[in-house]
Amino acid sequence: MIFEFDGFRLDTERVELRGPDGPVPLEPKSFALLKLLVGERHRAVSKEEIFEKVWPGVFVTDASLSTAIRQIRRALKDDGDLQKAIRTVRGHGFRFVAETRETGVALPTSGDHAVATQPQGDAGRPTIAIRPFRLLAGSSEYEAIAEAIPAELIATLSRLRWLKVIARASSFQFAPANADLAGMGETLGARFVVSGIVEHLGRTIAISVDVSDTRSGEVIWSNRLTGTIDTVFAMREEIARDLATMMELRLPQHAASMLAHVPSDNLDAWDHYHLAVRHMYRYNKRDNDIAAGHFQRALTLDPSFARASSGLSYTEFQNAFQHFGSDGNDHRALALSHAEQAMTLDPLDPFCNLMYGRVKWLLGDPEDALNWVNNAIGINPNYAFGYFNRATLQNALCNGAGAEENATIAVQLSPIDPHLQSMYGTRAFAAFISGDRTSAIHFAERAVNAPNPHLYVYTIAALIFDESGAQDRARRCIETVRAKNASFGRADFLRHYAMQGDPVLKARLSGTLSRLGL
Protein backbone atom coordinates (compact mmCIF):
# COMPACT_ATOMS: atom_id res chain seq x y z
CA MET A 1 0.00 0.00 0.00
CA ILE A 2 1.13 3.56 -0.75
CA PHE A 3 0.14 6.51 1.43
CA GLU A 4 0.77 10.17 0.51
CA PHE A 5 0.77 13.04 3.01
CA ASP A 6 2.42 16.49 3.26
CA GLY A 7 4.71 15.84 0.31
CA PHE A 8 5.76 12.42 1.61
CA ARG A 9 5.11 8.98 0.12
CA LEU A 10 5.03 5.88 2.36
CA ASP A 11 5.40 2.63 0.39
CA THR A 12 4.70 -0.28 2.75
CA GLU A 13 5.52 -2.96 0.16
CA ARG A 14 8.99 -1.60 -0.62
CA VAL A 15 9.57 -0.48 2.97
CA GLU A 16 10.38 3.02 1.81
CA LEU A 17 9.60 6.57 2.85
CA ARG A 18 10.21 9.25 0.21
CA GLY A 19 10.11 12.99 0.65
CA PRO A 20 10.37 15.94 -1.75
CA ASP A 21 14.15 15.39 -2.01
CA GLY A 22 14.13 11.58 -2.38
CA PRO A 23 14.33 8.61 0.02
CA VAL A 24 14.18 9.41 3.74
CA PRO A 25 16.08 6.92 5.94
CA LEU A 26 14.22 5.44 8.89
CA GLU A 27 15.30 2.74 11.31
CA PRO A 28 13.24 -0.48 10.93
CA LYS A 29 11.19 -0.09 14.09
CA SER A 30 10.53 3.56 13.35
CA PHE A 31 9.26 2.57 9.90
CA ALA A 32 7.07 -0.16 11.43
CA LEU A 33 5.67 2.36 13.92
CA LEU A 34 4.95 4.93 11.19
CA LYS A 35 3.24 2.25 9.10
CA LEU A 36 1.08 1.28 12.09
CA LEU A 37 0.10 4.87 12.92
CA VAL A 38 -0.68 5.79 9.31
CA GLY A 39 -2.70 2.61 8.80
CA GLU A 40 -4.69 3.29 12.00
CA ARG A 41 -4.91 7.06 11.50
CA HIS A 42 -8.65 7.05 12.23
CA ARG A 43 -7.89 6.51 15.92
CA ALA A 44 -5.28 6.93 18.63
CA VAL A 45 -3.05 3.87 19.11
CA SER A 46 -2.17 2.98 22.69
CA LYS A 47 1.38 2.41 23.88
CA GLU A 48 0.46 -1.16 24.78
CA GLU A 49 -0.71 -1.89 21.23
CA ILE A 50 2.41 -0.27 19.79
CA PHE A 51 4.69 -2.41 21.96
CA GLU A 52 2.73 -5.54 21.01
CA LYS A 53 2.78 -4.89 17.25
CA VAL A 54 6.12 -3.14 16.73
CA TRP A 55 8.22 -4.96 19.33
CA PRO A 56 6.51 -8.38 19.59
CA GLY A 57 8.03 -10.68 22.18
CA VAL A 58 10.71 -8.16 23.21
CA PHE A 59 10.80 -6.19 26.45
CA VAL A 60 11.42 -2.52 25.65
CA THR A 61 11.13 0.66 27.66
CA ASP A 62 9.21 3.86 26.98
CA ALA A 63 12.57 5.37 26.00
CA SER A 64 12.72 3.15 22.90
CA LEU A 65 9.25 4.31 21.87
CA SER A 66 10.17 7.96 22.48
CA THR A 67 13.30 7.54 20.35
CA ALA A 68 11.27 6.06 17.48
CA ILE A 69 8.67 8.85 17.68
CA ARG A 70 11.42 11.51 17.66
CA GLN A 71 13.04 9.93 14.60
CA ILE A 72 9.74 9.80 12.71
CA ARG A 73 8.92 13.40 13.55
CA ARG A 74 12.37 14.51 12.48
CA ALA A 75 12.02 12.61 9.17
CA LEU A 76 8.63 14.25 8.55
CA LYS A 77 9.94 17.71 9.55
CA ASP A 78 7.69 17.60 12.60
CA ASP A 79 8.45 17.93 16.32
CA GLY A 80 6.86 17.59 19.72
CA ASP A 81 5.66 21.19 19.69
CA LEU A 82 4.12 21.31 16.22
CA GLN A 83 2.69 17.77 16.20
CA LYS A 84 1.44 18.36 12.66
CA ALA A 85 1.89 14.69 11.70
CA ILE A 86 1.99 12.72 14.95
CA ARG A 87 -0.05 13.90 17.91
CA THR A 88 0.65 12.76 21.45
CA VAL A 89 -2.48 11.60 23.26
CA ARG A 90 -1.57 12.10 26.90
CA GLY A 91 -1.88 9.01 29.03
CA HIS A 92 -2.78 6.83 26.06
CA GLY A 93 -0.49 6.83 23.03
CA PHE A 94 -0.18 8.50 19.63
CA ARG A 95 -2.29 9.34 16.59
CA PHE A 96 -1.30 10.17 13.00
CA VAL A 97 -3.16 13.37 12.08
CA ALA A 98 -1.71 14.53 8.72
CA GLU A 99 -4.21 14.47 5.86
CA THR A 100 -3.49 11.22 4.00
CA ARG A 101 -4.38 9.76 0.62
CA GLU A 102 -4.12 6.06 -0.32
CA THR A 103 -2.86 5.69 -3.89
CA GLY A 104 -2.73 1.90 -4.39
CA VAL A 105 -0.05 -0.76 -4.26
CA ALA A 106 3.55 -0.85 -5.43
CA LEU A 107 4.55 -2.60 -8.63
CA PRO A 108 6.16 -6.04 -8.15
CA THR A 109 9.89 -6.31 -8.63
CA SER A 110 10.20 -9.96 -9.63
CA GLY A 111 8.54 -12.57 -11.81
CA ASP A 112 7.75 -11.20 -15.28
CA HIS A 113 8.91 -7.72 -14.33
CA ALA A 114 12.45 -6.41 -14.45
CA VAL A 115 14.47 -6.48 -11.26
CA ALA A 116 14.39 -3.21 -9.30
CA THR A 117 17.14 -0.73 -10.04
CA GLN A 118 20.03 -1.24 -7.65
CA PRO A 119 21.84 1.60 -5.93
CA GLN A 120 25.27 0.28 -6.76
CA GLY A 121 27.00 -0.25 -10.09
CA ASP A 122 26.31 -3.38 -12.10
CA ALA A 123 29.92 -3.96 -13.15
CA GLY A 124 30.87 -7.45 -12.01
CA ARG A 125 27.69 -7.96 -9.98
CA PRO A 126 26.71 -11.65 -9.97
CA THR A 127 23.90 -12.36 -12.43
CA ILE A 128 21.75 -15.47 -12.42
CA ALA A 129 19.07 -16.89 -14.72
CA ILE A 130 16.48 -19.49 -13.73
CA ARG A 131 15.07 -21.49 -16.62
CA PRO A 132 11.97 -23.75 -16.68
CA PHE A 133 12.43 -27.09 -14.99
CA ARG A 134 12.34 -30.23 -17.10
CA LEU A 135 9.45 -32.65 -16.54
CA LEU A 136 10.41 -36.33 -16.79
CA ALA A 137 7.93 -39.18 -17.20
CA GLY A 138 5.14 -36.81 -16.45
CA SER A 139 1.69 -35.94 -17.68
CA SER A 140 0.51 -32.44 -18.46
CA GLU A 141 -1.04 -32.07 -15.00
CA TYR A 142 2.49 -31.75 -13.58
CA GLU A 143 3.67 -29.10 -16.01
CA ALA A 144 2.39 -26.41 -13.65
CA ILE A 145 4.81 -27.64 -10.97
CA ALA A 146 7.74 -27.57 -13.40
CA GLU A 147 6.96 -23.91 -14.11
CA ALA A 148 5.90 -22.84 -10.62
CA ILE A 149 9.16 -23.84 -8.92
CA PRO A 150 11.49 -21.69 -11.05
CA ALA A 151 9.00 -18.81 -10.87
CA GLU A 152 9.15 -19.01 -7.08
CA LEU A 153 12.96 -19.13 -7.20
CA ILE A 154 12.99 -15.95 -9.29
CA ALA A 155 10.82 -14.21 -6.70
CA THR A 156 12.96 -15.45 -3.80
CA LEU A 157 16.33 -14.58 -5.31
CA SER A 158 15.08 -11.17 -6.40
CA ARG A 159 15.00 -10.25 -2.72
CA LEU A 160 18.80 -10.57 -2.61
CA ARG A 161 19.57 -7.04 -3.76
CA TRP A 162 23.25 -7.77 -4.39
CA LEU A 163 22.25 -10.42 -6.95
CA LYS A 164 20.99 -9.52 -10.43
CA VAL A 165 18.17 -11.90 -11.44
CA ILE A 166 17.18 -12.19 -15.09
CA ALA A 167 13.43 -11.68 -15.57
CA ARG A 168 11.27 -14.71 -16.29
CA ALA A 169 10.19 -13.34 -19.66
CA SER A 170 13.80 -13.66 -20.83
CA SER A 171 15.10 -16.75 -19.02
CA PHE A 172 12.02 -18.85 -19.91
CA GLN A 173 12.87 -18.45 -23.60
CA PHE A 174 15.42 -21.24 -23.11
CA ALA A 175 14.15 -24.81 -23.20
CA PRO A 176 14.74 -26.93 -20.09
CA ALA A 177 16.75 -29.49 -22.06
CA ASN A 178 19.03 -26.88 -23.66
CA ALA A 179 22.56 -27.88 -22.64
CA ASP A 180 24.27 -24.78 -24.08
CA LEU A 181 25.05 -23.04 -20.82
CA ALA A 182 27.71 -20.85 -22.41
CA GLY A 183 25.27 -19.65 -25.07
CA MET A 184 22.60 -18.96 -22.51
CA GLY A 185 25.06 -17.06 -20.35
CA GLU A 186 26.26 -14.97 -23.29
CA THR A 187 22.77 -14.16 -24.54
CA LEU A 188 21.36 -13.20 -21.14
CA GLY A 189 24.55 -11.84 -19.61
CA ALA A 190 24.21 -14.41 -16.82
CA ARG A 191 27.20 -15.88 -15.03
CA PHE A 192 25.09 -18.55 -13.32
CA VAL A 193 22.11 -20.65 -14.39
CA VAL A 194 19.65 -22.59 -12.23
CA SER A 195 18.30 -25.76 -13.83
CA GLY A 196 16.00 -28.43 -12.49
CA ILE A 197 14.17 -31.69 -13.12
CA VAL A 198 10.75 -32.76 -11.83
CA GLU A 199 10.06 -36.51 -11.76
CA HIS A 200 6.98 -38.35 -10.57
CA LEU A 201 5.83 -41.92 -10.17
CA GLY A 202 2.31 -42.25 -8.92
CA ARG A 203 1.99 -39.87 -5.97
CA THR A 204 5.75 -39.72 -5.39
CA ILE A 205 7.54 -36.66 -6.72
CA ALA A 206 11.25 -35.83 -6.85
CA ILE A 207 12.70 -32.39 -7.55
CA SER A 208 16.35 -31.90 -8.49
CA VAL A 209 17.97 -28.49 -8.81
CA ASP A 210 21.49 -27.35 -9.60
CA VAL A 211 23.42 -24.11 -10.12
CA SER A 212 26.04 -24.02 -12.88
CA ASP A 213 28.73 -21.55 -13.86
CA THR A 214 28.09 -20.64 -17.51
CA ARG A 215 31.79 -19.88 -18.13
CA SER A 216 33.32 -23.08 -16.80
CA GLY A 217 30.30 -25.41 -17.02
CA GLU A 218 30.98 -26.39 -13.41
CA VAL A 219 28.07 -27.34 -11.16
CA ILE A 220 28.68 -25.35 -7.97
CA TRP A 221 25.65 -26.61 -6.01
CA SER A 222 22.91 -29.20 -6.33
CA ASN A 223 20.10 -30.62 -4.25
CA ARG A 224 17.41 -33.27 -4.58
CA LEU A 225 14.19 -33.58 -2.58
CA THR A 226 11.69 -36.44 -2.62
CA GLY A 227 8.14 -36.35 -1.30
CA THR A 228 4.53 -36.78 -2.30
CA ILE A 229 2.26 -34.56 -4.31
CA ASP A 230 0.72 -33.46 -0.99
CA THR A 231 4.08 -32.05 0.17
CA VAL A 232 5.06 -30.30 -3.05
CA PHE A 233 4.46 -26.83 -1.63
CA ALA A 234 6.72 -27.52 1.34
CA MET A 235 9.35 -28.90 -1.07
CA ARG A 236 9.15 -25.74 -3.17
CA GLU A 237 9.70 -23.60 -0.08
CA GLU A 238 12.64 -25.74 1.04
CA ILE A 239 14.33 -25.50 -2.37
CA ALA A 240 13.90 -21.71 -2.40
CA ARG A 241 15.30 -21.50 1.15
CA ASP A 242 18.30 -23.68 0.36
CA LEU A 243 19.09 -21.83 -2.86
CA ALA A 244 18.94 -18.40 -1.19
CA THR A 245 21.27 -19.58 1.58
CA MET A 246 23.64 -21.14 -0.96
CA MET A 247 23.89 -17.89 -2.90
CA GLU A 248 25.00 -16.03 0.22
CA LEU A 249 27.73 -18.57 1.03
CA ARG A 250 28.78 -20.75 -1.88
CA LEU A 251 28.69 -18.18 -4.66
CA PRO A 252 31.32 -15.84 -3.13
CA GLN A 253 33.49 -18.87 -2.31
CA HIS A 254 33.25 -20.16 -5.85
CA ALA A 255 33.93 -16.73 -7.35
CA ALA A 256 36.97 -16.28 -5.11
CA SER A 257 38.38 -19.67 -6.12
CA MET A 258 38.12 -18.70 -9.80
CA LEU A 259 40.15 -15.53 -9.13
CA ALA A 260 43.16 -17.22 -7.56
CA HIS A 261 45.47 -16.55 -10.52
CA VAL A 262 43.96 -13.33 -11.84
CA PRO A 263 46.34 -10.34 -11.58
CA SER A 264 45.17 -7.78 -9.04
CA ASP A 265 45.03 -5.03 -11.67
CA ASN A 266 42.45 -7.04 -13.61
CA LEU A 267 40.02 -7.40 -10.68
CA ASP A 268 36.79 -5.40 -10.57
CA ALA A 269 34.92 -4.27 -7.44
CA TRP A 270 32.91 -7.49 -7.12
CA ASP A 271 36.06 -9.59 -7.56
CA HIS A 272 37.62 -7.81 -4.60
CA TYR A 273 34.40 -8.27 -2.64
CA HIS A 274 34.37 -12.04 -3.21
CA LEU A 275 38.04 -12.32 -2.22
CA ALA A 276 37.33 -10.29 0.92
CA VAL A 277 34.47 -12.57 1.96
CA ARG A 278 36.78 -15.58 1.69
CA HIS A 279 39.00 -14.04 4.39
CA MET A 280 36.55 -12.18 6.61
CA TYR A 281 35.13 -15.21 8.46
CA ARG A 282 38.43 -16.75 9.57
CA TYR A 283 38.60 -14.99 12.95
CA ASN A 284 42.24 -13.96 12.93
CA LYS A 285 43.92 -10.57 12.55
CA ARG A 286 45.86 -11.39 9.37
CA ASP A 287 42.82 -12.52 7.38
CA ASN A 288 40.72 -9.70 8.80
CA ASP A 289 43.29 -7.19 7.53
CA ILE A 290 43.37 -8.87 4.09
CA ALA A 291 39.57 -8.72 3.91
CA ALA A 292 39.61 -5.03 4.84
CA GLY A 293 42.12 -4.36 2.07
CA HIS A 294 39.92 -6.01 -0.55
CA PHE A 295 36.80 -4.20 0.67
CA GLN A 296 38.67 -0.89 0.50
CA ARG A 297 39.84 -1.59 -3.07
CA ALA A 298 36.27 -2.53 -4.02
CA LEU A 299 35.07 0.84 -2.74
CA THR A 300 37.86 2.64 -4.56
CA LEU A 301 36.66 1.06 -7.80
CA ASP A 302 32.98 1.59 -6.98
CA PRO A 303 32.26 4.17 -4.23
CA SER A 304 28.54 3.26 -4.35
CA PHE A 305 29.20 -0.38 -3.38
CA ALA A 306 27.04 -0.75 -0.25
CA ARG A 307 28.09 -4.30 0.61
CA ALA A 308 31.77 -3.35 0.52
CA SER A 309 31.05 -0.59 3.07
CA SER A 310 29.25 -3.15 5.23
CA GLY A 311 32.22 -5.49 4.82
CA LEU A 312 34.56 -2.77 6.08
CA SER A 313 32.22 -2.27 9.02
CA TYR A 314 32.45 -6.00 9.71
CA THR A 315 36.25 -5.95 9.77
CA GLU A 316 36.29 -2.93 12.10
CA PHE A 317 33.71 -4.67 14.28
CA GLN A 318 36.06 -7.64 14.57
CA ASN A 319 39.01 -5.36 15.34
CA ALA A 320 37.10 -4.13 18.39
CA PHE A 321 35.16 -7.28 19.30
CA GLN A 322 37.97 -9.81 18.90
CA HIS A 323 40.72 -7.39 20.06
CA PHE A 324 42.53 -7.50 16.71
CA GLY A 325 43.17 -3.76 16.91
CA SER A 326 44.89 -1.60 19.50
CA ASP A 327 42.25 1.11 20.02
CA GLY A 328 38.77 -0.28 20.60
CA ASN A 329 37.09 3.12 20.61
CA ASP A 330 38.63 4.02 17.27
CA HIS A 331 37.53 0.74 15.71
CA ARG A 332 34.00 1.11 17.09
CA ALA A 333 33.77 4.59 15.57
CA LEU A 334 35.00 3.31 12.21
CA ALA A 335 32.60 0.36 12.32
CA LEU A 336 29.72 2.78 12.86
CA SER A 337 30.89 5.15 10.12
CA HIS A 338 31.11 2.37 7.52
CA ALA A 339 27.76 0.89 8.60
CA GLU A 340 26.07 4.29 8.28
CA GLN A 341 27.59 4.76 4.84
CA ALA A 342 26.32 1.34 3.75
CA MET A 343 22.80 2.14 4.92
CA THR A 344 22.92 5.43 3.03
CA LEU A 345 23.93 3.58 -0.13
CA ASP A 346 21.39 0.74 0.16
CA PRO A 347 18.93 0.74 3.08
CA LEU A 348 17.21 -2.41 1.75
CA ASP A 349 20.22 -4.74 1.68
CA PRO A 350 19.93 -7.32 4.51
CA PHE A 351 23.69 -7.40 5.11
CA CYS A 352 23.75 -3.60 5.47
CA ASN A 353 20.88 -3.69 7.97
CA LEU A 354 22.43 -6.55 9.88
CA MET A 355 25.82 -4.86 10.15
CA TYR A 356 24.23 -1.65 11.37
CA GLY A 357 22.55 -3.75 14.06
CA ARG A 358 25.79 -5.48 15.02
CA VAL A 359 27.47 -2.09 15.43
CA LYS A 360 24.60 -0.95 17.66
CA TRP A 361 25.31 -4.01 19.83
CA LEU A 362 29.01 -3.19 19.79
CA LEU A 363 28.10 0.28 21.10
CA GLY A 364 26.06 -1.19 23.94
CA ASP A 365 22.47 -1.09 22.66
CA PRO A 366 21.29 -4.68 22.06
CA GLU A 367 17.62 -3.65 22.00
CA ASP A 368 18.08 -1.31 19.06
CA ALA A 369 20.49 -3.79 17.47
CA LEU A 370 17.75 -6.41 17.53
CA ASN A 371 15.45 -4.05 15.63
CA TRP A 372 17.94 -3.81 12.76
CA VAL A 373 18.62 -7.55 12.68
CA ASN A 374 14.87 -8.21 12.59
CA ASN A 375 14.69 -5.86 9.62
CA ALA A 376 17.43 -7.82 7.82
CA ILE A 377 15.46 -11.04 8.31
CA GLY A 378 12.30 -9.30 7.12
CA ILE A 379 14.09 -8.39 3.90
CA ASN A 380 15.52 -11.90 3.47
CA PRO A 381 13.56 -14.51 5.48
CA ASN A 382 16.17 -17.15 4.55
CA TYR A 383 19.11 -15.25 6.05
CA ALA A 384 20.98 -17.71 8.28
CA PHE A 385 23.43 -15.05 9.45
CA GLY A 386 20.42 -12.95 10.44
CA TYR A 387 18.87 -15.68 12.61
CA PHE A 388 22.24 -16.33 14.25
CA ASN A 389 22.63 -12.65 15.12
CA ARG A 390 19.06 -12.47 16.38
CA ALA A 391 19.82 -15.37 18.71
CA THR A 392 23.05 -13.72 19.90
CA LEU A 393 21.19 -10.54 20.81
CA GLN A 394 18.38 -12.45 22.48
CA ASN A 395 21.02 -14.08 24.69
CA ALA A 396 22.35 -10.63 25.61
CA LEU A 397 18.76 -9.69 26.52
CA CYS A 398 18.28 -12.90 28.56
CA ASN A 399 15.70 -14.38 26.18
CA GLY A 400 17.07 -17.91 26.20
CA ALA A 401 14.00 -19.53 24.63
CA GLY A 402 14.00 -17.13 21.69
CA ALA A 403 17.74 -17.55 21.23
CA GLU A 404 17.43 -21.35 21.18
CA GLU A 405 14.76 -21.15 18.47
CA ASN A 406 16.67 -18.75 16.23
CA ALA A 407 20.06 -20.42 16.64
CA THR A 408 18.41 -23.70 15.62
CA ILE A 409 16.91 -22.06 12.51
CA ALA A 410 20.34 -20.64 11.62
CA VAL A 411 21.98 -24.06 11.72
CA GLN A 412 19.13 -25.66 9.77
CA LEU A 413 19.43 -23.02 7.05
CA SER A 414 23.23 -23.24 6.84
CA PRO A 415 24.65 -26.46 8.35
CA ILE A 416 28.16 -25.83 6.94
CA ASP A 417 28.26 -22.12 7.71
CA PRO A 418 31.64 -20.46 8.46
CA HIS A 419 30.00 -19.18 11.67
CA LEU A 420 28.99 -22.68 12.77
CA GLN A 421 31.19 -22.52 15.90
CA SER A 422 29.42 -19.29 16.90
CA MET A 423 25.98 -20.72 16.10
CA TYR A 424 26.65 -23.71 18.35
CA GLY A 425 28.11 -21.43 21.03
CA THR A 426 25.02 -19.21 20.86
CA ARG A 427 22.76 -22.25 21.08
CA ALA A 428 24.75 -23.49 24.08
CA PHE A 429 24.54 -20.15 25.88
CA ALA A 430 20.79 -20.00 25.22
CA ALA A 431 20.32 -23.39 26.86
CA PHE A 432 22.52 -22.25 29.76
CA ILE A 433 20.34 -19.16 30.27
CA SER A 434 17.21 -21.32 30.13
CA GLY A 435 18.61 -23.76 32.69
CA ASP A 436 18.91 -26.70 30.28
CA ARG A 437 22.30 -27.98 31.41
CA THR A 438 22.29 -31.11 29.20
CA SER A 439 21.73 -29.15 25.98
CA ALA A 440 24.17 -26.47 27.09
CA ILE A 441 26.98 -29.01 27.52
CA HIS A 442 26.12 -30.75 24.25
CA PHE A 443 26.29 -27.60 22.16
CA ALA A 444 29.30 -26.21 24.04
CA GLU A 445 31.23 -29.32 23.07
CA ARG A 446 30.11 -28.97 19.46
CA ALA A 447 31.13 -25.31 19.48
CA VAL A 448 34.70 -25.82 20.69
CA ASN A 449 35.14 -28.78 18.33
CA ALA A 450 33.89 -26.90 15.26
CA PRO A 451 36.41 -25.12 13.01
CA ASN A 452 37.73 -21.76 14.21
CA PRO A 453 36.24 -21.27 17.70
CA HIS A 454 37.04 -17.76 18.91
CA LEU A 455 37.36 -15.92 22.24
CA TYR A 456 33.66 -15.69 23.02
CA VAL A 457 32.96 -19.31 22.09
CA TYR A 458 35.65 -20.54 24.50
CA THR A 459 34.42 -18.16 27.21
CA ILE A 460 30.83 -19.38 26.90
CA ALA A 461 32.03 -22.99 26.95
CA ALA A 462 34.10 -22.27 30.09
CA LEU A 463 31.04 -20.92 31.91
CA ILE A 464 28.99 -23.97 30.95
CA PHE A 465 31.67 -26.53 31.76
CA ASP A 466 32.42 -24.91 35.12
CA GLU A 467 28.81 -24.92 36.28
CA SER A 468 28.41 -28.52 35.14
CA GLY A 469 31.29 -29.58 37.37
CA ALA A 470 33.94 -29.94 34.63
CA GLN A 471 36.29 -27.32 36.12
CA ASP A 472 39.39 -28.68 34.37
CA ARG A 473 37.75 -28.32 30.96
CA ALA A 474 36.60 -24.85 31.90
CA ARG A 475 40.11 -23.79 32.87
CA ARG A 476 41.52 -25.19 29.62
CA CYS A 477 39.04 -23.04 27.70
CA ILE A 478 40.17 -19.95 29.63
CA GLU A 479 43.82 -20.85 29.01
CA THR A 480 43.03 -20.99 25.28
CA VAL A 481 41.41 -17.56 25.49
CA ARG A 482 44.49 -16.10 27.19
CA ALA A 483 46.78 -17.75 24.64
CA LYS A 484 44.76 -16.30 21.77
CA ASN A 485 44.63 -12.80 23.24
CA ALA A 486 46.02 -11.91 26.65
CA SER A 487 44.24 -8.54 26.69
CA PHE A 488 40.75 -10.07 26.55
CA GLY A 489 39.05 -10.12 29.95
CA ARG A 490 35.70 -10.72 31.59
CA ALA A 491 34.81 -7.01 31.26
CA ASP A 492 35.05 -7.40 27.47
CA PHE A 493 32.73 -10.41 27.56
CA LEU A 494 30.22 -8.71 29.86
CA ARG A 495 30.30 -5.50 27.83
CA HIS A 496 28.55 -7.37 25.02
CA TYR A 497 26.72 -9.97 27.08
CA ALA A 498 25.44 -7.51 29.68
CA MET A 499 22.47 -9.80 30.46
CA GLN A 500 20.01 -6.91 30.48
CA GLY A 501 17.12 -7.57 32.81
CA ASP A 502 18.97 -10.08 34.99
CA PRO A 503 21.68 -8.44 37.13
CA VAL A 504 21.87 -11.56 39.30
CA LEU A 505 22.87 -13.70 36.31
CA LYS A 506 25.40 -11.08 35.20
CA ALA A 507 26.99 -11.06 38.66
CA ARG A 508 27.08 -14.88 38.61
CA LEU A 509 28.85 -14.92 35.25
CA SER A 510 31.33 -12.30 36.41
CA GLY A 511 32.11 -14.27 39.55
CA THR A 512 32.62 -17.52 37.62
CA LEU A 513 34.96 -15.90 35.07
CA SER A 514 36.91 -14.18 37.84
CA ARG A 515 37.35 -17.46 39.69
CA LEU A 516 38.52 -19.12 36.47
CA GLY A 517 41.19 -16.46 36.08
CA LEU A 518 39.79 -14.34 33.25
Side-chain angles (χ1 to χ4, degrees):
M1 187 63 66
I2 297 174
F3 301 93
E4 292 183 347
F5 48 85
D6 288 346
F8 291 89
R9 179 185 175 93
L10 180 70
D11 188 331
T12 61
E13 294 296 322
R14 294 184 177 176
V15 195
E16 181 180 67
L17 174 67
R18 297 185 70 89
D21 300 321
V24 179
L26 272 181
E27 294 190 3
K29 290 301 178 184
S30 298
F31 186 92
L33 176 54
L34 176 59
K35 176 182 174 182
L36 171 64
L37 294 176
V38 173
E40 300 294 330
R41 60 193 179 279
H42 60 283
R43 64 183 178 92
V45 183
S46 69
K47 289 184 180 180
E48 291 74 19
E49 183 178 350
I50 290 172
F51 287 138
E52 179 182 345
K53 291 184 176 178
V54 178
W55 286 275
V58 179
F59 173 78
V60 294
T61 63
D62 284 352
S64 297
L65 175 55
S66 297
T67 298
I69 289 291
R70 278 197 304 272
Q71 188 189 45
I72 295 170
R73 283 175 169 159
R74 187 165 57 247
L76 300 181
K77 303 186 187 307
D78 191 12
D79 59 40
D81 294 326
L82 291 174
Q83 298 195 21
K84 63 179 183 179
I86 296 178
R87 181 176 298 161
T88 302
V89 181
R90 300 295 178 189
H92 182 73
F94 300 90
R95 183 176 179 183
F96 192 83
V97 295
E99 185 175 344
T100 303
R101 183 168 68 98
E102 295 184 20
T103 62
V105 297
L107 289 174
T109 58
S110 59
D112 286 330
H113 297 274
V115 178
T117 300
Q118 303 292 326
Q120 59 206 37
D122 276 353
R125 184 154 63 96
T127 303
I128 192 166
I130 298 96
R131 59 181 175 180
F133 281 21
R134 184 179 176 190
L135 180 63
L136 291 185
S139 58
S140 59
E141 63 185 291
Y142 289 92
E143 289 180 359
I145 297 175
E147 287 197 7
I149 296 172
E152 183 165 337
L153 296 183
I154 290 173
T156 299
L157 294 185
S158 293
R159 304 184 72 167
L160 304 180
R161 285 173 60 79
W162 59 272
L163 184 67
K164 186 177 180 181
V165 182
I166 301 298
R168 170 178 173 169
S170 296
S171 62
F172 272 38
Q173 297 296 317
F174 289 82
N178 188 336
D180 185 12
L181 291 176
M184 186 175 181
E186 184 176 352
T187 301
L188 296 176
R191 172 71 186 273
F192 303 98
V193 169
V194 177
S195 306
I197 296 175
V198 176
E199 306 170 73
H200 82 90
L201 180 63
R203 294 186 57 80
T204 300
I205 190 167
I207 304 171
S208 302
V209 58
D210 61 62
V211 180
S212 301
D213 186 327
T214 60
R215 297 181 188 176
S216 66
E218 178 184 356
V219 175
I220 63 173
W221 177 82
S222 64
N223 195 12
R224 179 180 172 86
L225 297 179
T226 303
T228 67
I229 191 63
D230 299 322
T231 63
V232 69
F233 289 103
M235 294 167 68
R236 281 169 50 182
E237 290 179 0
E238 185 174 348
I239 288 173
R241 247 191 344 261
D242 291 349
L243 182 58
T245 301
M246 184 283 302
M247 298 304 292
E248 288 280 2
L249 290 175
R250 295 280 188 89
L251 191 148
Q253 294 172 1
H254 170 77
S257 68
M258 301 295 287
L259 297 168
H261 303 294
V262 177
S264 181
D265 289 345
N266 294 346
L267 299 178
D268 62 27
W270 274 98
D271 292 337
H272 281 293
Y273 175 82
H274 292 315
L275 289 169
V277 170
R278 184 171 66 174
H279 290 277
M280 69 186 283
Y281 297 139
R282 293 182 179 176
Y283 293 113
N284 65 73
K285 184 180 186 319
R286 178 179 176 275
D287 281 291
N288 199 61
D289 289 345
I290 293 172
H294 281 297
F295 285 133
Q296 189 59 66
R297 285 191 283 278
L299 279 171
T300 299
L301 291 167
D302 181 2
S304 67
F305 198 163
R307 283 207 152 206
S309 285
S310 285
L312 273 179
S313 179
Y314 183 96
T315 60
E316 292 294 350
F317 176 99
Q318 295 291 37
N319 282 333
F321 191 69
Q322 299 286 352
H323 282 226
F324 294 153
S326 57
D327 188 337
N329 289 331
D330 185 44
H331 293 303
R332 280 186 280 273
L334 287 169
L336 177 60
S337 176
H338 293 307
E340 289 175 337
Q341 175 67 10
M343 286 299 295
T344 299
L345 292 170
D346 191 354
L348 295 182
D349 187 292
F351 183 45
C352 297
N353 280 267
L354 185 140
M355 274 313 307
Y356 195 81
R358 280 171 67 90
V359 173
K360 289 282 188 171
W361 178 43
L362 189 68
L363 298 176
D365 191 351
E367 282 186 359
D368 195 25
L370 187 58
N371 295 336
W372 288 95
V373 170
N374 287 341
N375 197 50
I377 296 172
I379 297 169
N380 178 9
N382 303 304
Y383 198 14
F385 195 37
Y387 288 100
F388 154 57
N389 277 275
R390 178 191 274 174
T392 298
L393 293 166
Q394 287 173 323
N395 275 339
L397 295 168
C398 295
N399 181 0
E404 287 186 68
E405 177 184 357
N406 283 286
T408 299
I409 293 172
V411 173
Q412 289 172 343
L413 284 171
S414 187
I416 56 171
D417 198 276
H419 296 95
L420 196 59
Q421 74 296 102
S422 299
M423 292 178 178
Y424 285 146
T426 298
R427 178 69 174 80
F429 200 30
F432 176 84
I433 292 169
S434 299
D436 184 353
R437 179 178 294 180
T438 300
S439 292
I441 295 171
H442 170 73
F443 284 103
E445 290 174 339
R446 296 191 74 172
V448 296
N449 289 318
N452 261 342
H454 53 73
L455 301 173
Y456 292 83
V457 170
Y458 280 113
T459 303
I460 289 169
L463 288 165
I464 293 169
F465 291 147
D466 181 81
E467 295 213 1
S468 67
Q471 280 79 22
D472 286 344
R473 294 189 69 186
R475 290 192 181 92
R476 286 198 297 273
C477 286
I478 295 301
E479 288 170 3
T480 302
V481 170
R482 292 154 103 183
K484 281 178 168 288
N485 196 313
S487 68
F488 182 83
R490 67 181 181 277
D492 298 299
F493 181 83
L494 295 172
R495 173 202 290 268
H496 302 106
Y497 291 97
M499 315 315 296
Q500 288 189 13
D502 195 340
V504 174
L505 176 58
K506 182 178 180 179
R508 187 175 117 211
L509 299 181
S510 180
T512 299
L513 293 176
S514 178
R515 179 167 44 78
L516 289 172
L518 189 65

